[in-house]
Amino acid sequence: MDSKSLNNKSLNAKSLLLSILSLLSILFILFTLQASWNNPQEQTKLDLLQTDLILQATQIQGKAQDSTKDDIFQVFIGESKPQELYAQALNSYQEVLKASKSNLASLERLSQSPESRDYEPQALSKQKQKKQTSVSEISIRTGLLQIQTGDTQGAIATWEAVAELEGQSMTSYGLTAQILKGLWSEPTMLFPNAEVQIQRTLDGWYRKVALTKLYQSQQRSEKIPELEQQAQIEVNAAINRLVIINSIPLIGGSVGILVWIGLLVQWIFFRKSSPFHRPSQGDLDQNLNQNNLQVPWGFGTIWEVMVLWFTAFCLMTQLVLPLIFEFLGIQTRASEDYTIQALLVLIPYTLSVIPMLPILQASLAVYQPLPEGWFRIKIKPPQWLLWGVGGYFASVPLVLVISIISQKFLQGQGGGNPLLPILTDSQNNLPKFLLWTTLAIAAPFFEEYLFRGFLLPSLAKFLPVWGAIALSGFFFALAHLNLADIIPLTTLGIVMGFVYWRSKNLLSSMLLHCLWNSGSFFALIALGGK
């Protein structure tokens, strides 16, 4: 009786602990999602990069010697005229400028508040300087777009605001703002070294507009043909990058539609061989062991594994690792070093998800050896390749459509992607390789092992297969803690769940996951490359 009483007390204490951790996990998820909702999906640097590429490519219109390039560009812009493109670009830049000024004002208030004592003064000062430089750079470009839309006085006011912002500590962007203001003022004011300064701080379409005005004001019309020649080279590069950026969703979506058409034809005419075919009860009884994994544990074990893993994940990412990095002074150095930033993505991610393995080992220890088929990772037979690649193409049109609907529904709210600056700003290949390692190797392995390898088949003991696939996909999306990603990632998780369930090999969903993350990664590389 004493032994049984102790066991009961132990179980009660364990249940109480898991209940408390579950409540804390739910609260953390709710607060994090609320924070992401309050963080708008503003026009980010990513959007501006694509805007700049399109502006760069507008220089081809009506002047292209290569009609193919002109045709390709028309595919991207549709029926839009140059003035409409300028207006759209101006709207994007003004949104970013407004958000950047708001962030700078928040940093100013923070630096003057008692809370500033919690921050290292040098780090806070660097952050303010970086944000101020960003505001100045965006302002210069915004002014040139205002010029193209006919708002010369608005452009001059925008450039004057840069001088007011920088004051005595004028940067190269502040000097460029003065030069541009002089060029479009009445009468024109010319500054020494204006050409060098414009070439240093502007590129692409913006540099061409500014230099054209400078050469006209200096009566150096012989330099304009050189500008046109350089613009043609840049146009070709811009269109090539636009092709790469859009080819992934375009080709992937097109192949994906063909895959779905093929699946529909197979369902209509060859239903028994369709991956969506549900066998009759007799067939199901004969192939029970082949189609379903035996689940020896109950709901309590599922609850235990998921809650303990998420608790370990939160503790590592929110407490342990930040304290370690703060103690070592790594965060301060990371603000200027993209390699350190990339390492601060790879290392924390790996350390925060790797506790999943000992948690699974401990929770499932009493069920060892596990029934055949659990956590199966087998290279042979190679059908997993077909499932992974086919699942990837099938997921592209689904997730793209769902993403568009989700963005409309959320009306621009829901958070953004913290990895974008490393991918778009860094010109060093090492940080990009480290990020790719995180996204295409670590994430597919750990996330598929947990959500498809353990959670999905465990839930299938209590739910219909499609219910288990959908619910595991939702938990997969929820674990990313970003409101804007929940619906698209749930869709992707459902496809990965179905691919794993039919292939019975984790390599298939891992491959799909790797292809998805790699496709997004290389599109961003093309967008941010110089």
Side-chain angles (χ1 to χ4, degrees):
M1 286 294 290
D2 291 340
S3 176
K4 183 178 286 189
S5 176
L6 286 173
N7 286 336
N8 288 335
K9 287 182 178 180
S10 176
L11 287 174
N12 290 336
K14 181 179 178 181
S15 297
L16 178 61
L17 176 62
L18 288 175
S19 298
I20 294 172
L21 292 177
S22 298
L23 179 60
L24 292 175
S25 297
I26 291 170
L27 290 174
F28 177 80
I29 291 171
L30 290 175
F31 283 130
T32 306
L33 293 179
Q34 175 65 29
S36 72
W37 170 259
N38 292 330
N39 179 26
Q41 294 182 65
E42 318 158 66
Q43 295 288 336
T44 61
K45 182 67 177 290
L46 177 65
D47 302 297
L48 297 189
L49 286 169
Q50 183 144 345
T51 295
D52 292 347
L53 281 180
I54 292 175
L55 285 174
Q56 201 163 305
T58 57
Q59 301 170 95
I60 200 173
Q61 289 187 302
K63 304 175 185 177
Q65 298 175 354
D66 185 352
S67 61
T68 304
K69 295 285 184 185
D70 200 10
D71 292 340
I72 293 174
F73 180 61
Q74 290 301 325
V75 170
F76 293 126
I77 66 169
E79 300 297 324
S80 299
K81 297 179 180 179
Q83 285 304 118
E84 294 173 344
L85 293 175
Y86 298 144
Q88 293 168 8
L90 176 59
N91 182 61
S92 296
Y93 264 89
Q94 286 176 331
E95 286 186 21
V96 177
L97 184 58
K98 181 180 177 181
S100 298
K101 285 182 175 179
S102 176
N103 292 337
L104 180 59
S106 298
L107 286 172
E108 290 285 357
R109 288 193 296 271
L110 176 62
S111 65
Q112 297 171 8
S113 71
E115 296 176 6
S116 63
R117 290 179 300 212
D118 298 333
Y119 297 84
E120 187 178 340
Q122 186 178 3
L124 191 58
S125 176
K126 279 186 177 181
Q127 196 173 358
K128 282 172 52 183
Q129 183 60 46
K130 188 175 181 179
K131 181 57 66 177
Q132 181 177 301
T133 302
S134 176
V135 168
S136 298
E137 181 183 6
I138 294 169
S139 297
I140 291 171
R141 295 173 179 242
T142 300
L144 289 169
L145 287 166
Q146 288 174 302
I147 292 293
Q148 291 302 112
T149 56
D151 185 10
T152 303
Q153 292 306 313
I156 290 174
T158 299
W159 293 324
E160 286 176 341
V162 175
E164 293 175 8
L165 174 67
E166 297 192 352
Q168 297 298 319
S169 56
M170 184 170 290
T171 67
S172 58
Y173 291 111
L175 182 55
T176 301
Q178 283 193 341
I179 292 170
L180 296 176
K181 175 190 169 186
L183 286 175
W184 271 278
S185 296
E186 292 292 342
T188 300
M189 296 172 55
L190 296 176
F191 288 78
N193 298 320
E195 181 177 4
V196 173
Q197 187 63 30
I198 289 172
Q199 289 176 335
R200 182 182 302 154
T201 54
L202 294 174
D203 57 14
W205 177 87
Y206 303 94
R207 181 171 57 196
K208 180 176 180 290
V209 171
L211 286 178
T212 298
K213 180 66 174 178
L214 176 66
Y215 294 152
Q216 289 172 345
S217 301
Q218 293 175 333
Q219 297 183 350
R220 297 167 62 195
S221 56
E222 73 279 359
K223 298 287 291 183
I224 293 179
E226 294 180 19
L227 273 182
E228 297 291 346
Q229 187 176 7
Q230 179 62 31
Q232 185 63 47
I233 297 172
E234 292 177 349
V235 162
N236 293 336
I239 291 180
N240 289 338
R241 284 164 64 187
L242 284 169
V243 168
I244 293 172
I245 294 161
N246 290 277
S247 63
I248 293 173
L250 184 63
I251 296 174
S254 300
V255 175
I257 291 172
L258 293 177
V259 168
W260 282 109
I261 292 173
L263 290 171
L264 178 62
V265 170
Q266 186 182 34
W267 172 259
I268 294 173
F269 297 105
F270 311 99
R271 185 163 300 189
K272 285 191 175 182
S273 63
S274 169
F276 298 104
H277 174 63
R278 296 184 66 180
S280 64
Q281 187 61 43
D283 293 336
L284 190 60
D285 291 339
Q286 290 179 356
N287 297 288
L288 185 61
N289 292 332
Q290 180 180 351
N291 294 317
N292 297 279
L293 292 175
Q294 295 179 15
V295 184
W297 49 83
F299 180 78
T301 301
I302 305 173
W303 177 33
E304 175 185 321
V305 168
M306 298 307 296
V307 169
L308 290 179
W309 167 75
F310 190 74
T311 301
F313 175 83
C314 292
L315 284 174
M316 290 295 289
T317 57
Q318 304 299 316
L319 182 62
V320 177
L321 291 174
L323 287 175
I324 292 173
F325 293 149
E326 184 67 28
F327 177 76
L328 296 175
I330 294 176
Q331 294 285 7
T332 303
R333 285 176 282 165
S335 61
E336 302 296 331
D337 192 323
Y338 288 115
T339 301
I340 295 179
Q341 288 183 34
L343 284 171
L344 290 182
V345 173
L346 174 61
I347 295 173
Y349 176 82
T350 304
L351 293 178
S352 60
V353 295
I354 210 166
M356 167 197 70
L357 298 177
I359 288 171
L360 279 171
Q361 182 69 24
S363 298
L364 305 183
V366 296
Y367 306 104
Q368 298 289 349
L370 297 180
E372 184 182 356
W374 277 94
F375 305 107
R376 178 179 289 161
I377 298 177
K378 286 191 174 182
I379 295 178
K380 292 182 179 181
Q383 280 86 349
W384 60 272
L385 288 168
L386 183 61
W387 279 106
V389 174
Y392 168 73
F393 284 117
S395 67
V396 172
L398 287 179
V399 178
L400 287 179
V401 171
I402 293 296
S403 296
I404 293 170
I405 296 172
S406 175
Q407 288 173 5
K408 295 291 184 183
F409 177 73
L410 294 174
Q411 298 181 340
Q413 301 293 116
N417 191 332
L419 304 183
L420 295 181
I422 305 176
L423 290 175
T424 58
D425 293 349
S426 172
Q427 301 307 310
N428 186 345
N429 288 329
L430 180 57
K432 295 174 182 177
F433 174 75
L434 292 172
L435 278 186
W436 180 83
T437 303
T438 307
L439 296 170
I441 298 177
F445 175 79
F446 288 111
E447 292 172 16
E448 294 310 303
Y449 200 86
L450 178 65
F451 290 101
R452 256 61 67 178
F454 169 74
L455 183 60
L456 193 164
S458 297
L459 289 174
K461 179 178 180 178
F462 306 96
L463 297 171
V465 171
W466 277 109
I469 290 173
L471 190 58
S472 64
F474 173 73
F475 282 127
F476 163 74
L478 200 62
H480 288 76
L481 299 173
N482 194 329
L483 191 61
D485 290 334
I486 286 182
I487 299 176
L489 288 184
T490 297
T491 305
L492 181 63
I494 289 172
V495 176
M496 291 192 291
F498 177 77
V499 164
Y500 166 66
W501 188 260
R502 290 310 306 260
S503 67
K504 296 300 179 189
N505 190 341
L506 278 171
L507 284 178
S508 60
S509 58
M510 287 178 181
L511 175 60
L512 194 166
H513 201 150
C514 172
L515 291 173
W516 183 270
N517 286 355
S518 295
S520 303
F521 175 86
F522 288 115
L524 290 173
I525 293 296
L527 188 58
K530 298 295 181 182

